[in-house]
C-alpha cells in the first residue's frame, strides 16, 4: 500500500512539473548578480526546478527565477497557466495511472499471446516432425518388405526353376544382387527393381563346375495393409 502511495505522488509530481512555455522578449535584462543581458528571449519556466531558459544572441542558457528583476518575474508568472487545484491534480494523476495500468495489461496480454503462439508453433513443428519421422519409418519398412519379397522370389526361381546349363545340372550356390526398388509411376504401392543372380553349378554331362549370371526384373506390390507380394517376374 505504501509503495502505491509513493507511486501516486510521483505521478502527480511528474504530471504537473512540465516546463511551461513563456516566450517573453526583454530588451535589457539585469540579473541580481549584476550581469546585464541584451535582447533576451525567456523561453520557458520549470516550476519543479525554479529555473528559466533564456536565449541570448542565439545561445541557450538557464538561471534561477529569483535572479531576474521582480517585474520580469511578475510578467513570467502572469504568462504561466493557472495552477491546477488539488482535485484536478489527483484526477489527472488517477487518469494517468489508469492509462498506465491499461498499457501494462495490454503489454502483458500481447506477451502472453506471443508466448502462446510460440508454444503452438513449436507443438505444430514437433507434430510435423513426428509425422514425417513416422512416414519415413513406414516407407523404410515398406521398402524392406519389397526387397525381401523380391529377393525371395528371385532365389526360389533360380534355385528350383531355372536351368543355367544343359543336361543334368546341380546348382551349388546362388547369390542375388538387387538394385534399390523404385516406385512405379501411376501405381500406388507398387515398386520395380532390377537385379542379377550369380550362381555356381555342376554340369553332370561335362563333369565340370561352372559359374554364370542372369539379369532379371521384378515388380512388387505393397498395399497399405498386408504383406508385400510379387506381381511380375521376368528375365532380362
Amino acid at each position: 500500500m505504501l509503495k502505491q502511495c509513493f507511486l501516486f505522488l510521483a505521478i502527480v509530481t511528474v504530471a504537473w512539473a512540465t516546463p511551461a512555455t513563456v516566450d517573453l522578449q526583454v530588451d535589457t535584462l539585469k540579473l541580481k548578480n549584476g550581469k546585464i543581458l541584451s535582447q533576451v528571449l525567456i523561453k520557458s519556466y520549470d516550476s519543479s526546478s525554479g529555473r528559466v531558459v533564456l536565449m541570448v544572441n542565439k545561445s541557450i542558457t538557464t538561471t534561477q527565477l529569483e535572479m531576474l528583476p521582480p517585474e520580469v518575474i511578475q510578467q513570467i508568472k502572469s504568462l504561466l497557466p493557472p495552477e491546477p487545484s488539488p482535485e484536478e491534480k489527483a484526477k489527472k494523476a488517477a487518469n494517468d495511472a489508469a492509462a498506465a495500468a491499461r498499457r501494462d495489461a495490454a503489454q502483458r496480454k500481447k506477451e502472453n499471446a506471443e508466448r502462446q503462439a510460440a508454444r503452438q508453433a513449436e507443438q505444430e513443428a514437433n507434430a510435423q516432425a513426428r509425422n514425417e519421422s513416422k512416414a519415413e519409418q513406414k516407407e523404410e519398412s515398406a521398402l524392406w518388405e519389397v526387397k525381401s519379397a523380391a529377393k525371395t522370389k528371385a532365389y526360389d526361381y533360380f534355385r528350383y526353376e531355372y536351368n543355367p546349363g544343359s543336361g543334368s545340372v546341380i546348382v551349388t550356390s546362388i547369390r542375388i544382387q538387387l538394385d534399390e526398388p523404385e516406385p512405379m509411376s501411376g501405381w500406388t504401392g507398387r515398386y520395380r527393381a532390377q537385379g542379377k543372380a550369380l550362381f555356381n553349378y555342376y554340369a553332370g554331362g561335362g563333369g565340370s563346375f561352372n559359374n554364370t549370371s542372369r539379369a532379371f526384373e521384378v515388380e512388387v506390390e505393397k498395399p497399405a495393409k498386408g504383406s508385400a507380394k510379387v506381381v511380375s517376374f521376368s528375365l532380362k
Side-chain angles (χ1 to χ4, degrees):
M1 183 66 182
L2 184 59
K3 182 177 179 182
Q4 292 177 340
C5 291
F6 280 130
L7 177 60
F8 181 80
L9 291 173
I11 292 175
V12 171
T13 302
V14 172
W16 297 102
T18 303
T21 301
V22 176
D23 285 339
L24 175 63
Q25 184 73 47
V26 180
D27 294 334
T28 302
L29 185 64
K30 184 176 181 180
L31 304 181
K32 290 184 179 180
N33 60 6
K35 189 174 183 180
I36 299 175
L37 305 174
S38 300
Q39 299 300 317
V40 179
L41 177 62
I42 303 174
K43 295 289 294 179
S44 63
Y45 169 62
D46 187 348
S47 60
S48 64
S49 64
R51 300 187 70 82
V52 290
V53 176
L54 310 176
M55 178 177 286
V56 183
N57 295 326
K58 298 182 179 181
S59 297
I60 298 293
T61 186
T62 64
T63 188
Q64 291 296 125
L65 181 67
E66 60 265 21
M67 294 295 293
L68 306 181
E71 64 275 11
V72 176
I73 294 176
Q74 189 61 37
Q75 285 182 283
I76 291 174
K77 289 184 176 181
S78 68
L79 296 172
L80 297 177
E83 182 73 13
S85 66
E87 292 78 9
E88 291 174 328
K89 291 182 180 180
K91 182 178 180 180
K92 186 177 188 305
N95 291 337
D96 291 345
R102 288 193 297 270
R103 288 193 297 271
D104 290 342
Q107 180 64 25
R108 289 193 297 271
K109 183 178 180 180
K110 178 184 177 183
E111 292 174 353
N112 289 336
E114 290 175 348
R115 285 194 292 268
Q116 184 175 357
R119 287 195 297 268
Q120 181 67 24
E122 182 180 4
Q123 291 172 357
E124 291 176 355
N126 291 338
Q128 181 178 357
R130 287 193 297 269
N131 291 336
E132 291 176 353
S133 178
K134 289 180 180 178
E136 290 177 358
Q137 293 175 359
K138 185 176 180 180
E139 179 65 16
E140 290 176 359
S141 177
L143 284 176
W144 183 87
E145 286 191 47
V146 167
K147 288 188 284 187
S148 178
K151 283 187 174 182
T152 299
K153 174 63 178 179
Y155 182 87
D156 290 345
Y157 176 81
F158 288 110
R159 181 70 179 84
Y160 301 110
E161 299 181 42
Y162 181 73
N163 189 340
S166 59
S168 177
V169 172
I170 299 175
V171 175
T172 57
S173 65
I174 301 175
R175 184 160 60 93
I176 303 297
Q177 294 180 342
L178 187 71
D179 296 338
E180 195 69 17
E182 296 182 355
M184 295 178 62
S185 178
W187 293 77
T188 302
R190 182 169 290 196
Y191 299 81
R192 177 186 290 119
Q194 308 289 332
K196 181 184 292 187
L198 308 173
F199 42 86
N200 296 320
Y201 65 94
Y202 175 77
S208 61
F209 287 93
N210 301 279
N211 57 73
T212 187
S213 64
R214 186 64 188 268
F216 63 89
E217 180 179 279
V218 61
E219 292 180 10
V220 180
E221 186 175 64
K222 175 61 178 75
K225 295 183 179 180
S227 303
K229 60 180 180 179
V230 175
V231 295
S232 174
F233 183 87
S234 59
L235 300 176
K236 306 291 287 185

